[in-house]
Amino acid sequence: MLGTKPKPSDNHTSESPAALRIAMFSIHSCPMGKLGTRDTGGMNVYVREVARELGRRGHHVDVYTRFHGDGHGPIMRVSKTVRFIHIEVGENRRIHKLAIYPHLSGLFCKIDTLRKQELSEYDLVHSHYWLSGRVGNLAQGKWKIPHLVTFHTLGKIKNHVGVGDSEPRLRIVTEKHLVRSCDRIIVSTERGKQELIHFYNAKPDAIGVIPCGVNLDLFQPMPKSEARSQLGLDQQDTILLYVGRFAALKGLDRLLQAISFLKDHNKLRLIIIGGEGFDSPETVRLKRLSRALGVENRVIFMGSIEHESLPPYYCAADLLVVPSHHESFGLVALESLACGTPVVATKVGVAEVTIKEGKTGFVVSDPAPHVLAEKIGTALTDPQRKFASVDTLRETVTRFSWSNVVDAMMDEYRSVLNGFRLSAVKDTSPMVFRLSKTSSL
Ligand code: UDP
C-alpha cells in the first residue's frame, strides 16, 4: 500500500549500479496516444507516468508499443534514460487490437533484433494488458528475466459484468496462462486482487496491490469562477463533468438517463470529455440518445481534451460523475479530488474506497439511473455545506502521488529480482538437485 505522505520526486538521473534496465510492453496502445479515445485511457497515463518517474530515479526504461503513425517517430526519447519505441505490427497501422495477436511473436522478434543491435540487456520485463503479456511471456523465456504483468482489465470480469462486446476465449486462455507463468501480477485495488483469485484461480501471494496515481503538480485547485471564465462557461450554471473513453462499460448511457430525471435542477449542464470525435458513430449515438431523452440542450460534448488541459474543467465543475459498470481503478476520480471537486461514483475501482461519504462525494451502490440521479441531486442541493473544503478534498488523494506509486513498484521489482536470483541459484545448485532427487525416492 502507498505511504500516507507525498514524497518529492527523486530527481537524480546519474548512472548508478542500482539502476535497473526495464523493458515495458504496452503493445496495443501507445502511452503517448490521444487520451479518451477507444483504446487509450488510464493504462496509457499509468505507463507514461510510471516510466517517467522511474527515469527520474535514473532507471533505464524502454517502453515498446506498436507503430501508429500519428507523428511519433520510431524512437521517442522522453528523458535521458526513458524511450518509447514504436514497432511496426503487420502491414496495417490501424488494425483492431484483437487482430494484433497473430503478429505478436513476429513483433517480439523485431524487439529482440533491436535489443541485439543495441547490445542492450534488461533486468526485468513489465507488461501491460494481456496482448503485451503474451510478448512479455516470450521475453521472459528468451531473455531469462522475470516477468511482471499488470492486466488493467480482464476478459472474464468484463464478460461477467456483461456490458459491451463479449471478450474472446483467446483472451481468457492467454490471461489464464499468464497468471500461471508470470513472476508477479500487479493490481491496483484489493477488489482487483480478489477478482483475480476468484475468476483466474491466481495465488494470493503472487499478487501485489499498488494503487494508480495522480499527477499532483498538474491537477491542482483553482477558483471555480476563474476556471469558468477561462473556459467561457456560465458562472450561474450547475456543471456536472464526465471524463473518459466512450466504452459501454463506462456507463454514459445511464448518466444521460440520470440527467433526464434531474428536470428540477435549473441551469444544469453535463460536460462530456472524451470520445473519438464529433462525427464518430459512438458520439452520434450518444447525441441521438440525448435527444430521445430530451436532454440535448443540457449536454455538451467537448471531444477529447489534452491531459494537460484538463485541470480547469475539473475546477469549473460542481461534481465529477463516474457512472461506470466496472473500473479497475478509475484515475479520473483522483484527478477530480486533487482539483478539489467532489465525485459521485458508482461502486467501482478506487472510488468505492477513496470517497468519504457525504464529505468528498457519494458512492452509489444501486446504479439504476434514477438512483444515480437522486444522489447527484442530493450532492447538488448544497455542496458548500455538505462537502469538505477544496484543500481537504485534495488532501484525501495526496498519498497517490506517482512518486509513491513508483516507491511501491520498486519494492515489487526488487523483491521479484531477489526471488528470481535465489531460485536461479537453487535450480543450478547440485546440492539442491541431489537433495530433491533423494527426497523424491
Ligand atoms: N483523459 C484525457 N483526456 C480525455 C479523456 C480522458 O486526458 O479527453 C484521461 C483522464 O484524465 C484519465 C484517463 O484518460 O487520466 C482515463 O483513465 P481512467 O482510469 O479514468 O479510465 P480508463 O481509460 O482506464 O478506463
Side-chain angles (χ1 to χ4, degrees):
M1 220 23 217
L2 300 184
T4 49
K5 287 231 170 95
K7 285 192 187 164
S9 289
D10 176 358
N11 275 328
H12 80 93
T13 52
S14 58
E15 198 95 3
S16 95
L20 294 181
R21 294 153 304 168
I22 300 158
M24 266 196 205
F25 295 146
S26 171
I27 302 298
H28 80 284
S29 178
C30 174
M32 304 306 274
K34 192 172 178 193
L35 294 167
T37 55
R38 191 179 58 191
D39 294 321
T40 313
M43 184 193 90
N44 307 65
V45 173
Y46 181 91
V47 172
R48 67 197 202 193
E49 292 282 2
V50 168
R52 277 179 183 150
E53 183 61 30
L54 286 165
R56 269 182 220 122
R57 296 167 186 221
H59 301 292
H60 292 260
V61 187
D62 283 338
V63 181
Y64 291 93
T65 187
R66 67 162 149 166
F67 196 87
H68 49 85
D70 289 337
H72 294 169
I75 298 187
M76 275 175 86
R77 187 172 278 285
V78 295
S79 72
K80 198 173 152 207
T81 57
V82 179
R83 303 185 300 173
F84 289 84
I85 302 177
H86 298 83
I87 307 277
E88 291 272 1
V89 179
E91 301 285 295
N92 180 356
R93 290 171 184 172
R94 302 269 168 210
I95 53 175
H96 187 271
K97 65 181 172 190
L98 279 183
I100 297 176
Y101 189 86
H103 299 285
L104 292 177
S105 45
L107 179 126
F108 174 67
C109 287
K110 290 184 190 173
I111 293 174
D112 195 36
T113 305
L114 186 66
R115 181 191 67 84
K116 282 186 201 138
Q117 279 165 3
E118 294 189 338
L119 302 173
S120 49
E121 302 232 321
Y122 296 108
D123 295 305
L124 61 88
V125 53
H126 188 169
S127 31
H128 298 270
Y129 198 64
W130 68 281
L131 290 164
S132 298
R134 167 81 187 120
V135 184
N137 185 249
L138 295 170
Q140 176 187 16
K142 179 117 197 235
W143 299 344
K144 308 272 183 276
I145 56 175
H147 179 206
L148 293 91
V149 182
T150 304
F151 286 104
H152 296 274
T153 64
L154 285 157
K156 264 194 164 193
I157 293 163
K158 280 185 124 177
N159 287 349
H160 176 75
V161 175
V163 176
D165 295 340
S166 84
E167 292 299 313
R169 209 177 104 75
L170 174 67
R171 173 174 183 177
I172 290 158
V173 169
T174 308
E175 286 171 344
K176 279 185 179 167
H177 176 255
L178 286 168
V179 164
R180 285 195 308 271
S181 62
C182 73
D183 295 280
R184 191 86 178 144
I185 306 167
I186 306 294
V187 296
S188 56
T189 61
E190 249 334 293
R191 182 194 279 252
K193 177 172 175 173
Q194 295 314 321
E195 286 173 340
L196 254 175
I197 296 166
H198 178 76
F199 287 96
Y200 287 84
N201 222 2
K203 292 195 189 111
D205 57 6
I207 306 169
V209 182
I210 306 178
C212 302
V214 57
N215 184 334
L216 294 165
D217 296 331
L218 175 64
F219 292 99
Q220 298 225 29
M222 79 162 79
K224 193 179 285 180
S225 55
E226 195 183 314
R228 288 189 179 193
S229 321
Q230 194 175 316
L231 299 171
L233 297 170
D234 193 323
Q235 300 287 351
Q236 307 309 319
D237 281 351
T238 300
I239 297 179
L240 304 180
L241 179 66
Y242 169 90
V243 180
R245 296 176 297 112
F246 282 10
L249 267 182
K250 291 289 185 178
L252 263 169
D253 287 29
R254 68 180 176 206
L255 176 54
L256 292 174
Q257 286 160 13
I259 300 298
S260 71
F261 287 105
L262 288 162
K263 296 235 159 64
D264 294 345
H265 289 266
N266 279 336
K267 302 208 80 184
L268 182 75
R269 295 271 174 276
L270 168 65
I271 295 183
I272 296 182
I273 293 179
E276 304 287 321
F278 297 106
D279 300 328
S280 70
E282 193 50 15
T283 308
V284 170
R285 190 190 70 77
L286 289 167
K287 283 184 176 165
R288 206 176 293 136
L289 178 62
S290 312
R291 265 197 304 282
L293 292 165
V295 298
E296 76 269 34
N297 295 332
R298 310 174 113 195
V299 182
I300 306 166
F301 288 89
M302 299 295 302
S304 107
I305 302 275
E306 289 285 331
H307 199 58
E308 287 65 27
S309 308
L310 282 178
Y313 289 92
Y314 285 117
C315 297
D318 292 292
L319 272 185
L320 176 83
V321 187
V322 180
S324 306
H325 297 268
H326 187 272
E327 287 285 344
S328 310
F329 189 79
L331 290 177
V332 292
L334 293 190
E335 292 164 5
S336 184
L337 291 167
C339 289
T341 300
V343 179
V344 169
T346 46
K347 207 168 173 221
V348 291
V350 73
E352 72 167 314
V353 287
T354 311
I355 292 174
K356 307 213 177 330
E357 198 66 7
K359 290 205 164 61
T360 65
F362 287 109
V363 175
V364 190
S365 301
D366 177 350
H370 71 278
V371 183
L372 183 59
E374 219 173 277
K375 275 287 183 213
I376 295 171
T378 310
L380 292 176
T381 349
D382 186 355
Q384 294 314 316
R385 184 176 58 82
K386 285 194 186 302
F387 293 118
S389 70
V390 163
D391 289 345
T392 308
L393 284 155
R394 179 175 167 84
E395 191 56 40
T396 60
V397 295
T398 49
R399 70 182 189 278
F400 295 97
S401 67
W402 286 111
S403 173
N404 280 351
V405 171
V406 169
D407 280 350
M409 194 65 79
M410 281 308 299
D411 288 346
E412 289 287 352
Y413 286 171
R414 298 265 182 233
S415 126
V416 166
L417 280 166
N418 284 340
F420 191 79
R421 281 178 198 131
L422 284 176
S423 71
V425 169
K426 208 163 78 190
D427 286 344
T428 52
S429 151
M431 173 78 89
V432 173
F433 178 69
R434 269 200 304 277
L435 277 177
S436 58
K437 269 207 120 178
T438 318
S439 61
S440 67
L441 287 173

